[in-house]
Amino acid sequence: MNVASLSSPVRSPLSTTSTTIDYPNLASDSGASTSSSLDFLEEFCLSDSDESPSCMAKPLEPQTCLYWVRMSSLRVHDNPAFTAAMRTAGMRFRAVFMYDPWFESGQHFGLNRWRFLIESLEDLDKTLQSYGTRLYVAKGQPLVLLEKLCIRWNVRSMAYQIDKDVDSHILEQTVDVLATKLGITLSKFDGHTLYESEKLVQPNSAVMTLKEFKAMLSSYGPPEKPIQPPAPRTGVPFDLGLPEEFRLPTLQEVGFSNQETVRAHLLWMGGESVALQKVTTYVKTRAKMNPVSAEALLDKSSLSPYIRFGCLSVRYLFWKVKELVSEDSSLEEFQKSFISGLLTREFFFTVASQVPNFDSYYNNKICVQLPWSDDKEMFRLWRYGKTGFPWIDAAMRQLWQEGWIHYLLRESVAFFLTRGELWISWEQGRRVFGELLLDYENSVSSGCWMKSSGSAFINETMEFFCPVTYGTEIDPAGDYIRTYIPELKNFPNEYIYCPWTAPVSVQVAASCRIGSDYPLPIINHITTGALCNFRLQTIMSLLHSLNTSSPPVSTQPPASGHVSTQPPASQPPASGHDTTSPSSAEVL
């Protein structure tokens, strides 16, 4: 799409001044709907009764172009849907974001995610005011809300960004039917990924491997370059009034107490203007950092939350990194790992578009049906960081406090919960990530959890993460542990990862008695790890006996540390596994 190169101010929520987007040199909705809303709209759209909107009295409102703001499109830069809507001539512009009460409870959408979302919406509203309009926020089922608002506002044109997550197409297809029923001109655009997933694969084609995916992309060439924000419309009166019913909700109004909503830190401030300010710092910080180090574990420069909420265009980031590398060759190594992470993210979105029920254990054709246990107490202790293993507990505590953890920690806690120690389903772990992780994207997280649990995407090597010794390889001094488990801060380095082995005298000197001030280990990780590995090896061997196209390879669990070994057996090709499957370590 050719768009004139324009520069539009994006205001920061942290100041009243405006900043200009630094472009490279170039030539929600909630995502959730209920079956009742789908059934309602299907009946509504297919009926020809006199109660349909086509038979209602014509509204007195001026003709309106509606920009449906999705939870993955909270920006104006490189936003084709917003640009198209803003350039629709002869109509009033309205932008609306809808949130469904289904995820209003903190059980589905945690405090940190809610705070980031609300801050991002506030930032977008401030930016829209420079365009002479406001962001309308509506609560309810998106399908029902859209029908009511389209009639109320006399909507004749609508634009939105296509969402990439699992099952989002169901909502979009039904919205398309509604638009047709109401005689609304509809425009849809990609914008959340580098490439259009639906154009990368043919209908009913075989599930690709990562190797095949990268080979295919090589024939497509680089992604399209980002477009500039549109210029504010001229000759159109400002529409800055915002009815009370459409104002942004507060954290208290979505279910959190006054005490909970007090900010304990200034990490992860949401919004497009914040994201754009962070890009250059992110690149230069990550380029100098050892990705497997205590410094990396404690780093807060990640841009993944901004990408997830669409505050930052992934295409803009891709081309901005290339521009920075062209100016500084020392950034080339960083660029390689950065692009690898982006492509892994693209891969999971693409596979998810091919595989129904991609985020589910059931009816998922690429997911091995491992017989997981359902130990609710063990799951609870893992969820709240009370396992007695500091490496695991520190990660879960950071996740609760900040909403983000390093990819090595994500691998470690996923391994511990599933095939490593507790043998609990990856679906339960994914739901916790969905509640707490700022950068949670269902398709990407589901792919990573299936891989970490040994349920899909297994390649020639299978990684093991010892909950005691792996951390010592990355952070021997235990700085990360001391940051998030302050009760252990006075333990000597030699006991920081296994405090239960410290003599009583050491525990007393550290002012922390194991078993009272900090829990004892909930399992013997050596014996449970061996049992889990035996289960996995037995099941994979059985699968191999049904599919003998590849020779089986056995393994034994390592006694300690982080080890990459041969998997128990090759999995059936029908499950989409090959010798070059993705690692969650490659995902931003």
Side-chain angles (χ1 to χ4, degrees), residues 62-79:
Q63 290 190 346
T64 301
C65 176
L66 181 67
Y67 168 49
W68 176 19
V69 182
R70 313 297 296 278
M71 198 182 295
S72 57
S73 63
L74 306 183
R75 67 179 186 275
V76 300
H77 76 278
D78 191 34
N79 190 331

Side-chain angles (χ1 to χ4, degrees), residues 446-458:
S446 296
C448 291
W449 270 98
M450 281 190 279
K451 182 185 186 302
S452 294
S453 66
S455 300
F457 305 110
I458 295 178

Side-chain angles (χ1 to χ4, degrees), residues 387-394 416 467-468 497 500 518 521-523 525:
T387 67
F389 292 92
W391 178 246
I392 303 301
D393 293 345
F416 187 91
V468 175
Y497 288 95
W500 65 90
Y518 181 75
I522 60 175
I523 55 169
H525 75 280

Side-chain angles (χ1 to χ4, degrees), residues 44 53 118 134 159 161 175 279 297 306 326 432 444 457 478 537 539 543 557 585:
F44 162 75
I118 291 175
R134 298 294 299 273
Q161 177 178 287
V175 168
V279 172
L297 298 180
Y306 300 95
S326 70
V432 173
V444 179
F457 305 110
Q537 182 175 1
I539 293 167
L543 289 175

Side-chain angles (χ1 to χ4, degrees), residues 54 125 152 237 272 289 548:
S54 60
D125 181 50
R152 175 176 173 180
E272 175 185 21
M289 184 184 299
T548 57

Side-chain angles (χ1 to χ4, degrees), residues 263-385:
R263 249 196 185 279
H265 55 74
L266 295 178
L267 302 172
W268 314 117
M269 299 286 289
E272 175 185 21
S273 57
V274 178
L276 292 169
Q277 294 168 8
K278 286 177 172 285
V279 172
T280 300
T281 301
Y282 161 78
V283 173
K284 294 183 177 179
T285 299
R286 290 297 182 93
K288 297 176 182 178
M289 184 184 299
N290 177 358
V292 185
S293 65
E295 179 188 17
L297 298 180
L298 295 166
D299 176 60
K300 315 297 183 186
S301 67
S302 175
L303 295 174
S304 56
Y306 300 95
I307 294 174
R308 183 271 169 265
F309 283 91
C311 302
L312 183 64
S313 160
V314 69
R315 292 191 305 186
Y316 170 86
L317 182 59
F318 176 89
W319 287 103
K320 185 64 178 177
V321 169
K322 289 187 73 67
E323 180 190 73
L324 293 172
V325 171
S326 70
E327 299 169 354
D328 183 355
S329 60
S330 68
L331 302 176
E332 289 180 355
E333 285 303 312
F334 162 78
Q335 180 182 229
K336 292 178 183 178
S337 62
F338 166 77
I339 292 178
S340 177
L342 289 184
L343 293 184
T344 300
R345 176 176 179 269
E346 296 280 319
F347 171 76
F348 281 131
F349 275 124
T350 302
V351 174
S353 71
Q354 293 180 284
V355 180
N357 306 304
F358 185 74
D359 61 342
S360 176
Y361 171 85
Y362 298 101
N363 300 316
N364 181 344
K365 67 181 181 181
I366 71 168
C367 179
V368 176
Q369 303 293 287
L370 297 173
W372 302 111
S373 67
D374 185 25
D375 192 320
K376 292 180 173 56
E377 178 60 13
M378 287 293 187
F379 174 71
R380 185 187 69 82
L381 295 171
W382 172 86
R383 172 185 171 89
Y384 292 107

